Amino acid sequence: PACIAEQLTALRRSGSANGRQFKRPGGASADNAPAGFKTAVLAAAAGLATEFSTKFVLTIQVGYGEVGGQPISPGAAAESGTYSTGVSYSALQSAIASYAGNSSFQATAAASLSPSNPTTNGTFQISTAESKALGLSGANSHLDGYVGLSNAIPFQYNQTAQSGKFDAIGAFQHELTEIMGRTASVGAHFREPALIGV
């Protein structure tokens, strides 16, 4: 549709004005991507934005065949890199409790948090996107992460099932949610500031 093309060329932003928005600066690799690539990025971000009401803007650089200037790993459909920041347990617990009024599930999870830091004096590494969502950092235009789609794997860009092709919108959404904080460090130590995943 014309409105999608206008958003891609003029605004490069998707989402609700009252909710989560994705700002997508792209490099030369994205500009040289196949037809449908940019529309798939917009569709992926717009789909995720409808699921969240917290108002803030994520800034994500999108690449084709690369992520954050590095080639996509052989065999990977897509990859992401996420900037993170360290926060104290008390600040994180307080922010989660303040946000918990949005659903009974969030309230139950927040109530289960220990009143004191379970790591004694450790800090917690969260994505900069999470920091924005929880109100731990102010609004800013700093880059929150990178998303790249492989140029070695065949994709379809409009979620019409095609034999032998991967879903670009689904791949983008998978990577975008990693930037939003869906990571599994399993106790791994991250240094601050960290770029996770590239």
Side-chain angles (χ1 to χ4, degrees):
C3 62
I4 290 178
E6 179 182 309
Q7 284 182 326
L8 283 167
T9 58
L11 301 177
R12 299 173 73 92
R13 185 179 286 203
S14 59
S16 166
N18 296 318
R20 183 162 300 174
Q21 295 182 29
F22 294 82
K23 182 179 175 186
R24 300 166 315 282
S29 67
D31 291 339
N32 296 321
F37 176 90
K38 291 181 181 180
T39 303
V41 174
L42 178 64
L48 288 173
T50 63
E51 299 296 323
F52 300 93
S53 60
T54 306
K55 184 178 179 178
F56 70 97
V57 177
L58 299 178
T59 303
I60 300 162
Q61 186 174 45
V62 179
Y64 179 64
E66 54 89 14
V67 59
Q70 300 297 313
I72 300 285
S73 300
E79 291 182 341
S80 66
T82 306
Y83 284 102
S84 68
T85 186
V87 297
S88 70
Y89 180 78
S90 61
L92 184 59
Q93 180 200 34
S94 175
I96 291 171
S98 295
Y99 190 75
N102 293 337
S103 80
S104 61
F105 297 110
Q106 290 172 330
T108 300
S112 72
L113 295 174
S114 168
S116 60
N117 188 339
T119 67
T120 309
N121 290 314
T123 58
F124 289 75
Q125 208 68 26
I126 64 172
S127 74
T128 58
E130 282 179 297
S131 182
K132 288 178 182 180
L134 291 171
L136 293 168
S137 62
N140 62 66
S141 60
H142 300 149
L143 193 61
D144 293 301
Y146 302 89
V147 170
L149 197 66
S150 174
N151 60 0
I153 293 175
F155 284 96
Q156 55 82 19
Y157 297 97
N158 59 7
Q159 291 192 315
T160 302
Q162 296 179 26
S163 179
K165 292 191 175 183
F166 290 85
D167 175 22
I169 295 171
F172 279 129
Q173 286 185 330
H174 174 94
E175 302 305 332
L176 289 169
T177 58
E178 289 180 348
I179 291 173
M180 293 164 60
R182 187 183 58 81
T183 59
S185 66
V186 193
H189 176 73
F190 297 126
R191 292 184 4 223
E192 181 185 0
L195 180 61
I196 304 166
V198 171

